[in-house]
Amino acid sequence: MTTASSPNLLDVNRRFYDALWRDAVLIAPQRFNTWPLVDALAAQAPRRLEVAPGLRPRLPVAGTAFADVSPPALRQLGSQGGLCVQALADALPFPDAAFDLVCAFDIIEHIEADEAAVAELARVAAPGAALLLSVPIHMAAWTPFDDFVGHYRRYEPAALLALLRRHGFELRRSAAHGMQPKSTWLLKLGMWFLTHQRERAMWWYNRVFMRFALGAQPPLSPAPGLIDSDGVDTLLLECRKLA
């Protein structure tokens, strides 16, 4: 699901997510609370790219370009009509201005050289293209789970907006987002099982946790500009690429 330019983080991400996707099933994008927003944007965007979706794509799979480092994820996406390439987020193998809609959910926090990754997102986005980006926010909210899943950082909202502006993106709307359990106890239990009893953990993840989490998603509520991020764990931004 993620990429990283740091060799150590890249290794952490590949080990964790290859193991995750090897035993997981693809979840259709229509099952996520992002679908109404994505569906409206995709209807106006024939050229679409999603970076590092793993098996949790948010864009329509058929006809969408996907760049990921995980072969198990790419195989399943390709079997459903996705146009798949194995690539890092900070080295995308696409021409300039190639896409009308670019998505990067929960990606750039895994990349040490996030400036280079956002530059790549900007390079492949056509003028006027939409960018959907989600990241965990507030370093004060850092937990052992961030280390476990290979995060390099959490973002402060003002610094995130400045990063996007440097690469020609203008914020349109934002929303609270994310499916991570809020219970510290549940996170610790999940990490223990993934480390010590991976097969059992994956059975519960695929058959119990994901079904519960998908059913418990609140409607996504995008608001103009930047929302009040106090108490928000993950922020979703809808941006436009300036000409």
Side-chain angles (χ1 to χ4, degrees), residues 15-21 23-24 145 148-149 181 186-206 209:
R15 285 201 311 269
F16 182 86
Y17 288 102
D18 272 359
L20 183 66
W21 303 139
D23 298 321
F145 186 77
F148 185 73
V149 298
L186 280 177
L187 287 175
K188 289 181 178 179
L189 183 65
M191 288 190 292
W192 188 91
F193 271 97
L194 281 167
T195 302
H196 296 90
Q197 297 188 25
R198 188 179 70 85
E199 289 186 7
R200 179 178 293 183
M202 289 307 306
W203 188 94
W204 279 92
Y205 176 77
N206 283 314
F209 171 73

Side-chain angles (χ1 to χ4, degrees), residues 14 63 86 188 207:
R14 279 181 168 158
Q86 189 171 14
K188 289 181 178 179
R207 292 168 177 79

Side-chain angles (χ1 to χ4, degrees), residues 48-81:
R48 305 182 300 269
L49 168 67
E50 188 163 356
V51 179
L55 291 174
R56 308 292 179 256
R58 300 311 203 272
L59 290 183
V61 176
T64 295
F66 294 100
D68 203 296
V69 295
S70 174
L74 292 171
R75 282 194 293 271
Q76 288 200 49
L77 291 165
S79 72
Q80 300 298 314

